[in-house]
Amino acid sequence: DGSGDVVLSSRRSYGRSRASHKPSKGGWRMRYVRLALATVVVVVALSAGVGSTSAQAQDFSNGSVIWQKSPAGDVNDIAVGKDKVYVADNNNGILYAYDRENGTQEWTYSGVDVNHIDYHNGNVYVAAGSGYFAVVSSSGTEQHQSSQASYVLEGIDATEDGVYISSNSDWTKKLNSTYDTVWTNSIG
């Protein structure tokens, strides 16, 4: 809302909630907030500058840090699943899966150049910097991979209705349940 206060909005029990606030001078700034509404854990990606980010779980009741992980690269996106937190490291193109309660790393996926992610119905949906799209199960097994563009995929949102992806060349695309293109719209 421009006031500098954190603004949260929740869409479903597991998955995406966004936060925004003005960056502080020289300090940490919040990039994303994902809420796990079924527990007392909130996951936050923090940034103090390029290449120095982490994913952090906090207790809702008192704000204490439960665990914090700093992948080798840059945390670009996070998603919360039923029992895991998924972290996209876009510098190294790796998807990390951490136990939501204690932060133990459970697996990594590097089948595509991971850029942005979303969680829906037991799967992690991956938009890749290389233009690829992938679906990875909560156990780390790749379920699907396809080329959607010859350039960077900038956003992804998985819903009951389909998967929506966007590119850095100003288009949005809807994929159906078999990941075929339903429509493509140019933006601008």
Side-chain angles (χ1 to χ4, degrees):
D1 66 358
S3 67
D5 296 329
V6 175
V7 179
L8 301 176
S9 64
S10 177
R11 196 178 62 174
R12 55 183 182 259
S13 293
Y14 308 111
R16 183 176 314 233
S17 293
R18 291 282 185 197
S20 62
H21 82 52
K22 294 179 183 175
S24 61
K25 292 183 180 178
W28 290 95
R29 73 176 170 85
M30 193 167 1
R31 185 184 289 173
Y32 297 101
V33 171
R34 302 286 197 257
L35 300 177
L37 301 177
T39 70
V40 295
V41 177
V42 63
V43 179
V44 180
L46 301 168
S47 176
V50 176
S52 59
T53 59
S54 65
Q56 184 180 92
Q58 299 174 346
D59 186 313
F60 270 151
S61 66
N62 61 23
S64 64
V65 174
I66 298 168
W67 58 261
Q68 182 169 322
K69 298 293 178 179
S70 298
D74 187 26
V75 175
N76 193 55
D77 205 358
I78 56 178
V80 178
K82 183 176 180 183
D83 57 1
K84 292 179 185 65
V85 173
Y86 305 96
V87 176
D89 172 353
N90 71 328
N91 282 356
N92 297 308
I94 298 172
L95 172 64
Y96 294 88
Y98 298 107
D99 180 277
R100 192 171 79 184
E101 298 301 321
N102 63 30
T104 301
Q105 183 179 311
E106 300 210 357
W107 51 262
T108 61
Y109 168 78
S110 57
V112 297
D113 180 22
V114 178
N115 197 22
H116 291 284
I117 58 176
D118 195 16
Y119 176 88
H120 185 67
N121 283 348
N123 291 313
V124 182
Y125 294 82
V126 178
S130 57
Y132 277 83
F133 160 75
V135 181
V136 180
S137 73
S138 61
S139 63
T141 304
E142 183 179 85
Q143 304 294 311
H144 174 83
Q145 184 184 122
S146 62
S147 177
Q148 296 295 323
S150 59
Y151 30 80
V152 176
L153 296 181
E154 285 293 333
I156 190 158
D157 192 20
T159 69
E160 293 296 326
D161 187 46
V163 178
Y164 300 85
I165 56 176
S166 61
S167 78
N168 67 348
S169 66
D170 301 327
W171 58 256
T172 300
K173 183 184 287 190
K174 178 183 178 181
L175 306 177
N176 63 18
S177 61
T178 58
Y179 312 117
D180 295 317
T181 300
V182 175
W183 52 255
T184 302
N185 286 336
S186 294
I187 302 169

